[in-house]
Amino acid sequence: MNTLPSPPDPLLLPARDPRAHDFVLDYADMHALVADLVLPGNASMYVMSAMETSRELLRHSYYRYEFATVAVTHSLFALEHVLAERLATKEPLHVLIERATDAELITAGLAAELDRSRLLRDRLTQGAASSAALHPLRAVAMLRAVFDAVALLLRPPSTAEATAADADGAQPDGSLARLWEDHLHARFPDGFRGVDFDGVDLALLDADVAGLVQRELKGGLDDSGIACLWGCIADLGKIVPLINEDYCSSYFTKLRTMAQAAAAPYIPTAS
C-alpha cells in the first residue's frame, strides 16, 4: 500500500489578465512601457526600493490589472519622503506639493499630475475607488510624473529650477547648450561599446548625435544634417525601449532629449 502523500499540483504559470489585451500584445511589450522610468542614482535605498517596486508593479499589471493602480499609489511613499527631506518639513502630501511648487522646485503642470495621484490614493483610502481605477497606460503617465519629480527634487538647488522649466515643456535660452554641456560630462555606459540593438550601433549613434549637435550649436544644420538628425532621433526612439540596463537607458534617453532639442528649430509649423 502506497502511503506517500499525493504530489502537489504543478505550479501554474501566471496568465495574462484579459483586461490587458487592449494595450499590449504580450508581456515583452510591457518593458517598452516602463523603459524610461529610470531610477535616480543619487536616491536613498528607501526611495530606490519604493520606486523600483512601483515600476515592477506596473510592468506586472500585464498579469494583474490592479497592479497599475497600486504602482502609482506606492510611488507616493518615495515622493513624500523626498519632498519632506528637500523642504525640511513633515506635512501632508498636498501641502508638500504646494510648497515645492511655490519654491519652483517643480512646475505647476507637474504638481497637478502629482496631485491627481494623491487624490486617487485618498479615494482608495476612503473606499471611493477600487484598485482597478487606472488603466495601465494612464498609470504610466502618472508614475512618470513621480519619477520626474523625484529626479528634480534630488538635483542640487542650483540646477533644480532650470530643469523644472524643461519638465514643463519650456525651452529656455541656451537649453541645447546646457544639454550639450551635461552630455560632455556623462560617461558612456560601460560594456556597451560595440553593442547594437536592432541593428543600431550604440557608440556610432552616440557619435553621430554629438557631431550633429556641435554643428547646430556652431551655426546650424544644412538639409543633409537635418535629415541625418531626424534619422538619429528615429533610431533612438527604436532602441531606448530595448535597453534594460538603468544607466544605459538613462544615457540614451538624455541623448534623445538633446537630439530633439537640436531638431526643434526644424519642425514645420502648422499652416
Side-chain angles (χ1 to χ4, degrees):
M1 178 176 179
N2 186 0
T3 59
L4 293 175
S6 301
D9 293 334
L11 181 64
L12 296 177
L13 294 176
R16 180 176 74 171
D17 190 308
R19 293 168 289 181
H21 72 87
D22 66 335
F23 62 93
V24 291
L25 293 176
D26 54 35
Y27 179 65
D29 290 339
M30 297 301 297
H31 305 318
L33 287 182
V34 302
D36 63 344
L37 300 178
V38 180
L39 299 173
N42 54 340
S44 68
M45 288 301 297
Y46 173 83
V47 171
M48 290 276 281
S49 175
M51 295 179 73
E52 184 173 26
T53 299
S54 298
R55 184 184 64 190
E56 296 311 304
L57 281 166
L58 184 51
R59 194 195 306 269
H60 285 81
S61 63
Y62 177 85
Y63 298 116
R64 182 68 181 181
Y65 190 90
E66 284 81 359
F67 284 177
T69 300
V70 179
V72 172
T73 56
H74 188 82
S75 72
L76 297 181
F77 292 127
L79 175 66
E80 191 164 2
H81 183 84
V82 172
L83 280 168
E85 281 199 338
R86 183 62 189 272
L87 297 168
T89 182
K90 291 187 179 296
E91 296 184 271
L93 181 55
H94 73 279
V95 176
L96 293 173
I97 293 172
E98 290 172 1
R99 287 186 180 275
T101 308
D102 291 343
E104 298 185 342
L105 296 175
I106 58 175
T107 66
L110 188 55
E113 188 73 351
L114 298 174
D115 209 49
R116 279 188 275 272
S117 297
R118 178 194 64 83
L119 289 170
L120 172 63
R121 183 194 65 181
D122 292 350
R123 291 176 62 223
L124 286 166
T125 303
Q126 297 158 6
S130 76
S131 294
L134 285 181
H135 188 286
L137 293 182
R138 179 69 184 111
V140 171
M142 295 173 77
L143 193 56
R144 183 178 293 114
V146 174
F147 272 67
D148 288 347
V150 169
L152 282 171
L153 292 162
L154 290 175
R155 282 182 175 268
S158 59
T159 61
E161 183 177 343
T163 311
D166 284 350
D168 206 27
Q171 287 292 333
D173 292 341
S175 62
L176 179 59
R178 178 173 51 75
L179 290 169
W180 173 244
E181 186 67 22
D182 289 344
H183 180 72
L184 289 176
H185 291 90
R187 171 180 52 82
F188 189 87
D190 292 335
F192 284 87
R193 292 195 183 277
V195 173
D196 71 78
F197 284 89
D198 202 12
V200 178
D201 185 290
L202 298 189
L204 290 178
L205 180 59
D206 179 55
D208 286 344
V209 172
L212 291 163
V213 169
Q214 281 185 297
R215 285 165 57 188
E216 172 63 16
L217 289 170
K218 289 179 179 178
L221 297 170
D222 57 17
D223 289 345
S224 64
I226 295 168
C228 186
L229 180 60
W230 283 115
C232 290
I233 291 171
D235 283 343
L236 285 162
K238 180 170 63 172
I239 62 101
V240 166
L242 303 177
I243 301 172
N244 60 5
E245 196 275 331
D246 284 339
Y247 177 78
C248 187
S249 177
S250 174
Y251 182 93
F252 280 92
T253 297
K254 291 175 182 176
L255 188 71
R256 180 176 58 184
T257 298
M258 183 173 68
Q260 289 169 334
Y266 306 107
I267 298 174
T269 57
S271 56

